Amino acid sequence: MLLIDHIKVLQELYGVVIIPQTVADELNAPESPSVVRNWIAKPPNWLQIQPIETLQNVEIEKLDPGEREAILLAEKLKADLVILDDKAARQVALERGLTIIGLLGILKDAAKSGLLDLRTVFDDLREVGFWVAPSLIGQLLKEE
């Protein structure tokens, strides 16, 4: 969302977004784009960063630390929604009774709310190297 200059959509759709400290650390990692590192270094007031104690749990141990903690934090907070794009993480979250959404779902909701033009955003995503199956893009544009 940052790379295509639509990060404010998160605030406009959800008000407050809470992420685990591990996700903030991943965003601040040296391999992250500078725009991402600069943003997370001074996060907006609508973004809250919370540490979460990870418990040993075989079911989620296979996941990336950020995804694992996002799921645990969503459970702890009884969150309305957890943002996950990784297929394995989405499956674990669903099995644990969480409601999930991914980047494309967020963009679709933002377009329905008149916050952005979906076709333009898909072009922007391609320009920054985000790959989406053309058939999925076509389907989402038809549903718009």
Side-chain angles (χ1 to χ4, degrees):
M1 303 284 293
L2 269 170
L3 296 178
I4 58 170
D5 200 29
H6 284 294
I7 196 68
K8 292 282 284 175
V9 164
L10 291 174
Q11 179 193 21
E12 292 169 11
L13 288 175
Y14 309 118
V16 173
V17 176
I18 304 168
I19 64 171
Q21 181 64 53
T22 299
V23 170
D25 294 344
E26 289 174 357
L27 294 174
N28 197 34
E31 60 272 13
S32 290
S34 61
V35 67
V36 174
R37 289 192 320 269
N38 292 337
W39 182 80
I40 199 64
K42 295 177 189 149
N45 59 5
W46 53 265
L47 180 73
Q48 297 177 11
I49 302 169
Q50 290 191 13
I52 182 84
E53 184 179 324
T54 56
L55 307 170
Q56 296 299 321
N57 184 316
V58 175
E59 181 184 38
I60 63 173
E61 285 301 310
K62 62 187 175 194
L63 301 178
D64 168 272
E67 294 156 344
R68 181 171 52 239
E69 288 190 17
I71 289 169
L72 293 172
L73 184 59
E75 288 177 329
K76 177 183 173 187
L77 299 175
K78 297 182 179 18
D80 296 328
L81 197 59
V82 61
I83 301 171
L84 297 166
D85 279 316
D86 179 78
K87 187 175 181 178
R90 291 170 68 91
Q91 184 60 43
V92 169
L94 288 172
E95 288 169 2
R96 295 170 78 100
L98 295 170
T99 303
I100 60 169
I101 194 165
L103 174 62
L104 298 179
I106 293 168
L107 295 174
K108 184 177 169 187
D109 288 351
K112 281 183 181 176
S113 297
L115 300 173
L116 53 79
D117 176 72
L118 205 50
R119 187 173 303 276
T120 302
V121 169
F122 285 155
D123 290 341
D124 294 344
L125 282 173
R126 268 194 295 274
E127 284 182 28
V128 298
F130 189 89
W131 187 85
V132 181
S135 59
L136 181 55
I137 289 176
Q139 178 186 342
L140 290 170
L141 289 171
K142 267 192 239 174
E143 294 172 4
E144 190 179 14

